[in-house]
Amino acid sequence: MQQRTIGDTAVSAIGLGGMPMSIEGRPDEARSVATIHAALDAGVTLIDTADAYHRDADEVGHNEELIARALRSWGGDASGVLVATKGGHLRPGDGSWTQDGRPEHLKAAAKESARRLGVEAIGLYQFHRPDPAVPYAESVGALAELLDEGVVRQAGISNASVAQIDEANEVLGGRLVSVQNQFSPAFRSSLAELEHCAAIGVAFLPWSPLGGISRAGDLGSTHAAFGRVAERHGVSPHQVALAWELALAPVVVPIPGASRPASITDSVRAAELTLTADELAELSA
């Protein structure tokens, strides 16, 4: 598969987002493991997770543990797979999402994530979402300490503005390697952050790149241009959306969530889909 770079690590141009396998409406574990194995078989070498990807209050890290088990049971060599996780979000168990960006929380959470993943150092650790109650520089400062202590190999941020990207990179001493923001045909307001990442050479990881769990199935009809281009190429609108995102900048690495082997197998084919300049203009209009 086409390769892209996060920091000093080459990864597949399409990653796998683990959230749908652990939150409300999740499938049974066998299907989730089959989905992860299908991604690995197709050449995916980036899997994104978070300690907050769970459903019930007493199962923090559900998705991290699921991914760790799937990697151990896969028949191939998983040593080249980058597992990226995040900290700073909490799920009380009532369906809501809250924040805790205190440095002491993030440092403890990272060490717990490393334990669950079964690694000495997390390949990529990301601050999940800014906490209004904590100065941003203090939260990101925890990532700098985790880097210095060797708990994490690389650091990123998520749900950040252009100003926060620059602030984080300054706090990290130029060591920011990735920004994970929502971006899709339906949600384009992070285009400024994507373009800024391209300008400074930081990877941009669109989350919900197909529009989210509840909307992805309607992508071709809700956004007609993607349906038209898909028909011309004889592919799914999802492949067109991911190929469009890849074409926006060489730093873009979409991480579509999946809970079925067929979904991620289809998404991966986007890395080989070439769109014309006219098609890209049509999709960007």
Side-chain angles (χ1 to χ4, degrees), residues 187-198:
F187 190 95
R188 307 189 190 200
S189 60
S190 286
L191 183 60
E193 287 77 22
L194 185 161
E195 292 174 340
H196 189 59
C197 285

Side-chain angles (χ1 to χ4, degrees), residues 79-145:
S79 62
V81 177
L82 175 63
V83 178
T85 191
K86 301 182 286 294
H89 245 328
L90 303 174
R91 300 212 72 201
D94 59 1
S96 67
W97 298 74
T98 60
Q99 289 88 41
D100 189 345
R102 293 173 301 136
E104 57 268 32
H105 169 76
L106 292 171
K107 293 185 70 175
K111 291 169 184 175
E112 279 297 293
S113 289
R115 179 190 63 78
R116 286 188 289 264
L117 292 170
V119 297
E120 292 185 6
I122 296 170
L124 172 60
Y125 193 68
Q126 305 155 99
F127 178 35
H128 204 154
R129 186 177 291 276
D131 181 350
V134 180
Y136 196 63
E138 291 185 15
S139 298
V140 177
L143 272 62
E145 293 180 23

Side-chain angles (χ1 to χ4, degrees), residues 199-280:
I200 65 175
V202 169
F204 184 86
L205 282 53
W207 63 262
S208 286
L210 302 176
I213 295 171
S214 62
R215 296 183 177 181
D218 300 325
L219 193 156
S221 55
T222 305
H223 305 279
F226 290 83
R228 290 194 300 270
V229 173
E231 285 187 14
R232 285 181 217 142
H233 287 269
V235 301
S236 69
H238 308 93
Q239 283 186 43
V240 173
L242 296 171
W244 168 68
E245 289 163 16
L246 287 171
L248 290 174
V251 300
V252 175
V253 186
I255 46 172
S259 61
R260 293 182 297 117
S263 297
I264 190 60
T265 301
D266 180 75
S267 290
V268 163
R269 297 191 187 106
E272 311 307 325
L273 176 61
T274 301
L275 302 173
T276 68
D278 286 345
E279 287 172 337
L280 291 172

